[in-house]
Amino acid sequence: LVLPYPPGEIAWPRAWVLIATIAVATIASILALARADPALLAERFGPPVQRGQPSADKAIVLLLVATFLGAVRFVPYDVFAWHVLPAPPAAVAALGLAAFGSGWWVVTAALSANPCAAPVVKAQAERRQYVVERGPYAVVRHPMYAGGALVMLGLPLWLGSTAGVLVALVPVAVLALRIV
């Protein structure tokens, strides 16, 4: 993830806070998932496109990755050069960081609650598949997507790009399409 605006703006405190948040959240998530289900953790580190995955899912996953990376790349250009829309007030931006962190937590909780939460659509013969009704699945049917949407919308908001939030709606829409 390359956030700094070319030619290499490194004096961006919010980006450094985001990077630190991602580092801490990643370590906490890995530790939580390693305790809950080490095999699932290994599965989650698999590539986003795999053998046996339906072609439609391969295409939508690649589209999701491309649109998300594009949305992330848009943010520093907007913050430092384009200023498409006014930056959000500091309190609203702080809500973006809270949304980002909350979304990450929801995704981790969903992974901990669902032993079949593979990154790709595929039959898992080695696991008994069933409808999960505990953890965040007790509240929403697709908590990983709900959490992912919070992550994608919170990131540009925290970094100070109101237009970036609108651009982030594209990968969120791709997530919704993947549900279908």
Side-chain angles (χ1 to χ4, degrees), residues 67-144:
T67 58
F68 176 66
L69 291 176
V72 169
R73 198 65 193 122
F74 172 88
V75 171
Y77 285 94
D78 184 46
V79 169
F80 289 103
W82 299 336
H83 311 288
V84 175
L85 295 171
V92 175
L95 289 175
L97 185 60
F100 182 91
S102 297
W104 196 292
W105 177 83
V106 168
V107 169
T108 301
L111 290 170
S112 295
N114 185 352
C116 296
V120 300
V121 173
K122 66 179 183 178
Q124 298 177 44
E126 69 281 1
R127 293 184 180 260
R128 187 180 140 259
Q129 293 182 301
Y130 56 91
V131 175
V132 177
E133 297 177 323
R134 66 181 189 274
Y137 288 92
V139 179
V140 63
R141 185 70 266 146
H142 296 285
M144 288 179 23

Side-chain angles (χ1 to χ4, degrees), residues 42-69:
E43 175 77 25
R44 293 302 298 179
F45 279 113
V49 174
Q50 299 178 11
R51 180 172 295 156
Q53 180 181 7
S55 296
D57 191 54
K58 289 178 182 179
I60 200 118
V61 166
L62 292 174
L63 182 62
L64 175 60
V65 169
T67 58
F68 176 66
L69 291 176

Side-chain angles (χ1 to χ4, degrees), residues 60 64 144-146 148-149 152 170-180:
I60 200 118
L64 175 60
M144 288 179 23
Y145 294 156
M152 287 185 236
V170 175
V172 169
V174 173
L175 267 183
L177 181 62
R178 188 171 189 222
I179 291 171
V180 175

